[in-house]
Amino acid sequence: MDTLETRELRYFVAVAEELHFGRAAERLGMAQPPLSRAIQQLERRLGVSLLERNRRGVSLTGAGEVLLQEGRAALDATTAAARRTRRAGGADSPGGPRRLVLAVKAAAAHELLQKLLDAYAAEPDAADIEVLPCGFCEQEELLRDGRADVALMHAPFNSLAGFDSEELLTEGQIAVLPADHPLAAHKSLTLADVSDIPGLPAARWPRHGTYPPGPGPEIRDQTQLAQLIALGRTVAVFPDSARAWLWSEHTAVPLTDAPPVITHIAWPAHSRSLALAGLIRTATRL
């Protein structure tokens, strides 16, 4: 049998992520014995072993690794379908509002975003746009699970895999430094110059829920980062458009060897939303 139930995938993903049946059962709000039986039944139906069980604990087999990745994507897709259907239901109701959720990295491409919102609002029959600010590289997850309909994404930082997209802007990168730091007086710097500054470690943003290793502070939001830079505790690299949010305690210095940042407007490849199509047309005319 090639079909899988959403319930089965949810059970398996919980076990695969926790690698512990007790914690997975607690997370799912169920007892451990029926969860164990459900996973065993799933393995019998698929004809493969998904988990290695021994005295040291639980680990994934090669097949289990595949199902974890595919299962996450499938659960995201079902969640996205429900969220987007509810938003579309409002538009279908008499007098119901049409609404699109646009995910953007906080403070990135601010001028472009403002131009897009103003231009689209002037279009006849424009939908309402809810701007959803997010952290580093969160746009992909928001698009995949349906919390957003469309996003401004930035290559090479964001992955555009599985999405349709249009290029909107290409720009260089800058180092954002405390204004009183000696490097702030330079007209330009290189990535090597800012990669290991004594006493000024690079800020670290989470990716998929985990922070990369390093001595720099763990950053949760843009305001926290701005304050830590102003206090002389960290340095960060951003697209040139980030100048829009800099404080007087910050200095932006161009990076001569940083790759260009290309801002795309991206959306799910299967979307058939007329409101979304109108927003994309507006974006490509900017």
Side-chain angles (χ1 to χ4, degrees):
M1 185 178 245
D2 292 333
T3 58
L4 293 172
E5 296 179 4
T6 302
R7 175 184 58 83
E8 292 176 309
L9 288 177
R10 191 160 51 87
Y11 287 179
F12 173 74
V13 168
V15 174
E17 290 180 344
E18 299 291 343
L19 292 178
H20 189 282
F21 276 90
R23 289 195 299 269
E26 183 177 355
R27 169 173 152 182
L28 292 164
M30 63 187 298
Q32 182 175 333
L35 175 60
S36 298
R37 290 195 295 271
I39 298 300
Q40 291 169 356
Q41 182 181 12
L42 177 60
E43 289 178 314
R44 286 195 297 271
R45 287 182 56 215
L46 293 175
V48 297
S49 176
L50 300 171
L51 301 167
E52 294 285 355
R53 305 163 178 84
N54 53 48
R55 292 179 179 177
R56 293 191 299 273
V58 177
S59 61
L60 290 172
T61 65
E65 292 279 2
V66 170
L67 186 58
L68 175 58
Q69 298 304 316
E70 298 287 348
R72 282 171 171 161
L75 291 174
D76 280 348
T78 57
T79 302
R83 285 171 170 158
R84 293 194 176 107
T85 298
R86 280 195 288 267
R87 284 201 290 275
D92 293 339
S93 303
R98 295 194 309 154
R99 182 167 64 97
L100 292 173
V101 178
L102 170 61
V104 298
K105 184 177 181 298
H110 175 77
E111 184 177 352
L112 174 66
L113 174 61
Q114 190 62 63
K115 287 181 178 178
L116 174 58
L117 295 175
D118 290 346
Y120 182 65
E123 293 289 325
D125 203 29
D128 292 334
I129 301 294
E130 177 185 338
V131 177
L132 180 60
C134 58
F136 183 74
C137 290
E138 288 183 346
Q139 301 99 307
E140 304 161 38
E141 181 181 348
L142 296 174
L143 273 186
R144 294 189 200 284
D145 70 12
R147 283 176 286 171
D149 301 296
V150 59
L152 293 184
M153 298 170 71
H154 313 282
F157 306 112
N158 293 121
S159 170
L160 296 167
F163 302 120
D164 284 342
S165 65
E166 292 283 350
E167 292 185 17
L168 301 181
L169 174 69
T170 299
E171 58 186 321
Q173 297 194 62
I174 55 174
V176 181
L177 298 147
D180 59 357
H181 193 276
L183 288 178
H186 290 230
K187 291 186 176 181
S188 64
L189 294 168
T190 66
L191 287 170
D193 292 332
V194 299
S195 64
D196 190 20
I197 303 173
L200 204 64
R204 294 181 292 139
W205 290 92
R207 187 76 187 263
H208 304 303
T210 60
Y211 287 90
E218 296 181 350
I219 302 300
R220 295 181 298 277
D221 57 55
Q222 200 75 28
T223 301
Q224 179 197 32
L225 175 62
Q227 185 170 32
L228 289 175
I229 295 173
L231 292 171
R233 301 301 178 90
T234 191
V235 61
V237 173
F238 277 97
D240 190 77
S241 56
R243 294 176 186 271
W245 61 263
L246 297 189
W247 298 0
S248 59
E249 296 93 339
H250 302 153
T251 293
V253 181
L255 294 169
T256 58
D257 60 345
V261 176
I262 304 174
T263 299
H264 297 75
I265 188 166
W267 63 97
H270 61 271
S271 177
R272 296 295 182 268
S273 166
L274 295 178
L276 176 57
L279 179 64
I280 302 306
R281 284 195 299 271
T282 301
T284 57
R285 290 198 298 263
L286 293 178

